[in-house]
C-alpha cells in the first residue's frame, strides 16, 4: 500500500471490517456481548468496526483473543493498527466533522467515483464563491472561521481531479438540471461555477453530464444524491456514500452497491451527452450573466 493511501481512512476500514468478520463468523457473538466482555461501551466497538476511529494494537489483540483468532491473524491485524493512526491533510482542518473525514479519506483512495447530485454541484468541482455560499446557508449557522476552513478544505479536494500519484482517479458525475437552475449566490457566482464545470469536463478523466427536466421521473427521485466509490483491486469494497445534515451512511454490502449501480446506470441513460451538457451549461451561464 502506498504512503498516499496510508494517509487515509482505508486502513481503519480494513481493520474494522476484519474485526467485524472475526466477531460474526468466528466467534459468532453480538457486538454488545463482545463489548461487555471487555468492559467497553458498545459505541466504542461499533466505531472501531466502522473504521471511524484509530485502533490500538493492544485492543486488536484483546479482540482477537476474545474471538479465538489464530496467531497469524492476530499478528497481521495488530501490524495494521499503527496505520490507522496516520493522518491525512484533512486533519489540519479542525472544523471538518468526523463523519465527513471518513469520506475524504475514502475519496482520496478511490480509483473511480460515480456521483449523482440533485441540488448542488459536486464538492471537488465547486468554486470558492459557490462553496462559500453553500456553507453560509448551512442551517447550523457556521461561524465565519469555520466557513473559511471548510471552503479551504473543499478547494483542496479539487486537486484530486488532476492528481497523478498514486493514480489518476476517474470521475463520472451526473447532475440534475435543478443543480444549475437553482441559484446559489449571485448570477456572477453561478456563471463562474457553470464555466468551471465546462472547464473540468475537458479533463480526460472527468465526465460531467446533466439530466434535463424533460427526462421526467427517474431513479434519482428515489435515491437522492449519492456517491459510489470504487477502489484498486482488493483495497476496499465498492462503497456508497449518502450524506445528511449531521451524518452520513456508508453502504458497502454487495447488494447495496448493486442496487446503486443499477440506479446510476438508469440515471446515466437519462442524461445528456457531454457535448450537449456543455452547450446547456454555456447557455445557462450566459443567462446568469445577463
Amino acid at each position: 500500500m502506498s504512503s498516499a493511501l496510508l494517509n487515509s481512512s482505508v486502513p481503519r476500514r480494513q481493520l474494522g471490517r476484519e474485526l467485524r468478520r472475526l466477531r460474526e463468523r468466528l466467534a459468532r457473538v453480538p457486538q454488545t456481548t463482545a463489548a461487555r466482555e471487555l468492559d467497553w461501551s458498545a459505541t466504542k466497538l461499533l466505531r472501531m468496526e466502522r473504521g471511524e476511529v484509530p485502533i490500538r494494537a493492544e485492543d486488536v489483540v484483546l479482540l482477537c483473543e476474545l474471538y479465538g483468532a489464530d496467531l497469524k491473524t492476530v499478528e497481521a491485524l495488530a501490524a495494521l493498527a499503527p496505520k490507522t493512526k496516520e493522518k491525512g491533510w484533512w486533519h489540519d482542518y479542525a472544523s471538518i466533522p468526523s463523519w465527513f473525514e471518513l469520506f475524504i479519506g475514502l475519496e482520496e483512495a478511490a480509483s473511480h467515483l460515480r456521483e449523482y447530485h440533485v441540488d448542488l454541484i459536486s464538492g471537488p468541482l465547486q468554486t470558492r464563491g459557490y462553496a462559500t455560499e453553500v456553507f453560509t446557508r448551512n442551517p447550523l449557522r457556521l461561524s465565519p472561521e469555520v466557513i473559511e476552513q471548510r471552503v479551504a478544505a473543499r478547494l483542496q479536494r479539487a486537486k484530486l481531479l488532476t492528481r497523478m500519484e498514486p493514480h489518476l482517479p476517474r470521475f463520472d458525475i451526473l447532475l440534475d438540471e435543478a443543480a444549475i437552475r437553482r441559484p446559489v449566490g449571485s448570477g456572477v457566482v453561478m456563471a463562474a461555477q457553470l464555466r468551471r464545470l465546462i472547464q473540468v469536463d475537458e479533463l480526460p478523466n472527468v465526465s460531467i453530464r446533466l439530466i434535463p427536466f424533460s427526462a421526467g421521473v427517474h431513479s434519482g427521485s428515489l435515491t437522492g444524491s449519492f456517491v459510489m466509490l470504487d477502489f484498486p483491486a482488493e483495497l476496499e469494497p465498492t462503497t456508497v456514500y449518502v450524506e445528511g445534515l449531521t451524518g452520513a451512511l456508508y453502504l458497502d454490502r454487495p447488494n447495496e452497491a448493486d442496487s446503486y449501480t443499477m440506479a446510476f446506470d438508469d440515471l446515466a441513460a437519462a442524461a445528456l451527452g457531454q457535448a450537449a451538457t456543455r452547450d446547456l451549461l454555456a447557455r445557462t451561464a450566459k443567462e446568469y450573466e445577463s
Side-chain angles (χ1 to χ4, degrees):
M1 187 182 299
S2 71
S3 59
L5 295 184
L6 291 179
N7 291 329
S8 72
S9 304
V10 172
R12 295 184 189 181
R13 295 258 298 176
Q14 289 178 315
L15 183 51
R17 188 167 57 251
E18 286 303 311
L19 291 173
R20 183 180 65 201
R21 184 185 62 80
L22 289 176
R23 177 179 59 78
E24 293 177 343
R25 300 182 186 178
L26 183 61
R28 299 180 184 275
V29 295
Q31 201 172 60
T32 52
T33 300
R36 186 168 58 249
E37 286 291 325
L38 296 175
D39 199 25
W40 292 353
S41 69
T43 300
K44 175 179 177 177
L45 184 55
L46 173 66
R47 296 192 69 193
M48 289 169 65
E49 290 187 356
R50 286 181 174 176
E52 295 176 354
V53 292
I55 304 175
R56 300 186 309 165
E58 305 94 289
D59 289 340
V60 171
V61 173
L62 287 174
L63 287 169
C64 287
E65 291 178 346
L66 177 64
Y67 300 153
D70 59 59
L71 181 59
K72 183 178 180 181
T73 298
V74 176
E75 290 176 346
L77 296 186
L80 185 57
K83 297 176 184 178
T84 70
K85 299 179 182 179
E86 298 193 22
K87 295 183 177 182
W89 61 261
W90 53 94
H91 289 97
D92 292 335
Y93 298 87
S95 68
I96 297 177
S98 59
W99 54 265
F100 192 64
E101 285 184 1
L102 175 58
F103 173 73
I104 297 179
L106 294 175
E107 186 182 55
E108 284 277 320
S111 56
H112 184 196
L113 297 99
R114 290 171 283 172
E115 308 188 14
Y116 168 64
H117 299 279
V118 180
D119 296 306
L120 296 173
I121 306 301
S122 172
L125 309 184
Q126 292 180 10
T127 63
R128 174 178 289 278
Y130 185 97
T132 300
E133 288 289 340
V134 169
F135 287 120
T136 300
R137 301 299 178 90
N138 189 305
L140 299 181
R141 297 177 180 173
L142 307 176
S143 70
E145 293 76 19
V146 168
I147 290 172
E148 179 55 35
Q149 275 203 4
R150 294 195 182 181
V151 169
R154 185 149 293 186
L155 297 179
Q156 178 76 10
R157 289 169 58 205
K159 294 182 179 181
L160 280 174
L161 299 169
T162 54
R163 185 198 68 190
M164 299 303 295
E165 295 294 337
H167 52 253
L168 179 65
R170 171 75 191 173
F171 286 83
D172 287 309
I173 298 174
L174 302 176
L175 300 174
D176 194 279
E177 187 174 347
I180 70 168
R181 294 296 186 185
R182 180 173 290 110
V184 175
S186 67
V188 172
V189 169
M190 283 301 297
Q193 178 61 74
L194 299 191
R195 296 198 184 284
R196 166 67 173 163
L197 294 182
I198 296 171
Q199 178 188 45
V200 171
D201 187 59
E202 295 175 354
L203 296 173
N205 59 312
V206 178
S207 167
I208 301 173
R209 299 169 60 201
L210 287 168
I211 301 174
F213 290 141
S214 60
V217 176
H218 48 65
S219 298
S221 303
L222 299 175
T223 65
S225 301
F226 64 90
V227 177
M228 298 186 67
L229 304 105
D230 298 307
F231 302 89
E234 300 182 1
L235 184 63
E236 274 284 299
T238 295
T239 300
V240 181
Y241 171 79
V242 182
E243 184 176 318
L245 178 62
T246 58
L249 295 176
Y250 293 86
L251 310 173
D252 59 9
R253 298 178 187 271
N255 65 311
E256 294 169 333
D258 290 345
S259 295
Y260 276 89
T261 295
M262 288 189 289
F264 187 87
D265 290 344
D266 285 343
L267 290 165
L272 300 173
Q274 284 182 264
T277 291
R278 286 194 293 268
D279 288 343
L280 180 54
L281 289 171
R283 293 199 307 272
T284 308
K286 288 181 180 179
E287 293 173 10
Y288 280 116
E289 288 171 335
S290 62

